[in-house]
Amino acid sequence: MQRMNKALFLDRDGVINIDHGYVYKIEDFFFTEKIFKIAKHYHDQGFLIIVVTNQSGIARGYYTESDFNQLTQWMIKKFLDQGIEITKVYHCPHHPDFDGDCSCRKPMPGMILSAQAEFDLALPNSVLIGDSNTDIEAGKKAGVGENYLIYELNNTGL
Ligand SMILES: [Mg+2]
């Protein structure tokens, strides 16, 4: 069977929200200027919207899985308010200093490959947007067709 779905993979910190470092509270979460417009564009073309985010703050003990999940639910709701359904948020809670090596922390492609298996994705037809070389590396390793490294979403004046 041919894989049928395509996805827009979004990094979170620096792409969806301004990256202040280890953001885990709603009051510290500021959406970047164009993210809803970009996500809507792909969403309306039938791309599944999938977030893939490294969250080593969990391994470091800065915040908990529960903190992360609470913020994620709020974030998903904000996208829904804009008519954009996020299909799934994958996160890597690990850090090599605490957990050893894992296959999910970008630049490893683990989260993308999990999404491929779960949602029957054609990765060559999929797109990734990241603000770090490790995002792009993960996308390329997984075989994502288009990988965009952005800077400006990171710098919207805050
Ligand atoms: Mg980032």
Side-chain angles (χ1 to χ4, degrees):
M1 268 266 284
Q2 205 179 349
R3 295 183 185 278
M4 292 303 290
N5 296 316
K6 54 195 176 179
L8 173 66
F9 291 101
L10 295 173
D11 174 44
R12 199 196 75 177
D13 301 303
V15 172
I16 294 178
N17 58 289
I18 311 286
D19 187 359
H20 303 298
Y22 305 109
V23 171
Y24 70 97
K25 291 179 186 161
I26 289 169
E27 59 260 40
D28 297 331
F29 195 101
F30 299 98
F31 286 96
T32 54
E33 205 180 329
K34 303 258 171 66
I35 190 58
F36 291 127
K37 196 174 173 192
I38 292 168
K40 187 96 169 72
H41 170 81
Y42 282 96
H43 179 267
D44 290 353
Q45 289 185 62
F47 284 75
L48 303 182
I49 309 296
I50 295 177
V51 179
V52 286
T53 175
N54 286 355
Q55 293 294 325
S56 73
I58 295 172
R60 298 171 199 268
Y62 297 161
Y63 48 91
T64 65
E65 287 277 348
S66 163
D67 293 326
F68 174 78
N69 290 333
Q70 231 176 317
L71 180 57
T72 297
Q73 289 315 308
W74 176 86
M75 179 186 84
I76 287 171
K77 172 75 167 53
K78 290 292 172 187
F79 273 88
L80 271 181
D81 289 347
Q82 304 288 327
I84 303 157
E85 183 191 349
I86 292 183
T87 297
K88 184 151 177 172
V89 175
Y90 292 88
H91 74 288
C92 167
H94 307 123
H95 186 275
D97 290 353
F98 303 95
D99 306 294
D101 290 335
C102 66
S103 59
C104 46
R105 182 174 166 81
K106 293 174 287 183
M108 296 299 283
M111 292 188 282
I112 296 169
L113 296 178
S114 295
Q116 179 189 35
E118 192 169 349
F119 298 105
D120 193 31
L121 299 176
L123 292 180
N125 302 334
S126 296
V127 175
L128 176 143
I129 301 176
D131 73 322
S132 156
N133 286 323
T134 55
D135 298 320
I136 303 308
E137 217 180 301
K140 286 184 174 166
K141 275 183 187 155
V144 173
E146 294 174 39
N147 297 276
Y148 295 109
L149 181 62
I150 53 91
Y151 300 96
E152 67 270 26
L153 296 187
N154 214 359
N155 292 296
T156 49
L158 286 174

